[in-house]
Amino acid sequence: MEKKESRPIAVIECCEEIPCNPCMSACPHHAIVIEGGIHHIPQLKPELCVGCGICVARCSGQAIFVVGQEQDYGVVSFPYEMLPLPEKGMIVDGTDREGQTVCQGEILKVMIAKNFDHTTVVTLKVPLGKEDTVRGFRFREDR
Ligand code: SF4
Ligand code: SF4
């Protein structure tokens, strides 16, 4: 079976119609638009998104993720505001939005940047297909 390759881009899972728009103003590529007033749900223009993760860090509702697939694994980036921070190469449990373990994953990247507004963006390598479900991680007890 030929494996799919799909570059990592933002996935907006913002469902509350609240007056909020830091995601839109944070994107340097104008890939996020909110049409019809600030209460409306933001939309992604996928062709403009480069998967940089700035919106992931800047979203006040922790509702944006960068999701994609490489040849034989999935990748997902999410905001992380706890300590200690994970380290590259660490094996962790990937968790869903409810905190339930979905699969094992490997920390690929831990991004800290000035324009990330004190939020770290963590990128996790997961089994192919799990990138659509994994939205965080938990340290393993045997680490
Ligand atoms: S990942 Fe980067 S380019 Fe894509 S929408 Fe977010 S800020 Fe814009
Ligand atoms: S910053 Fe986050 S919570 Fe606010 S509108 Fe954008 S996606 Fe929704």
Side-chain angles (χ1 to χ4, degrees), residues 12 14 16 18 20-24 34 40 42 58-64:
I12 303 173
C14 175
E16 289 185 44
I18 49 170
C20 183
N21 71 350
C23 54
M24 185 174 80
I34 301 178
H40 286 203
R58 299 286 284 279
C59 167
S60 43
Q62 300 201 326
I64 307 183

Side-chain angles (χ1 to χ4, degrees), residues 85-91 106-110 122-123:
L85 292 174
E87 289 170 18
K88 186 178 175 194
M90 212 173 233
I91 302 300
E106 178 186 339
I107 302 289
L108 285 186
K109 233 186 306 181
V110 179
V122 172
T123 302

Side-chain angles (χ1 to χ4, degrees), residues 7-12 23-24 26-32 43-46 48-58 64-66:
R7 69 187 177 93
I9 59 169
V11 170
I12 303 173
C23 54
M24 185 174 80
C27 179
H29 300 277
H30 310 289
I32 298 179
Q43 305 293 327
L44 181 75
K45 292 185 167 182
L48 298 180
C49 177
V50 300
C52 65
I54 295 174
C55 59
V56 174
R58 299 286 284 279
I64 307 183
F65 306 86
V66 171

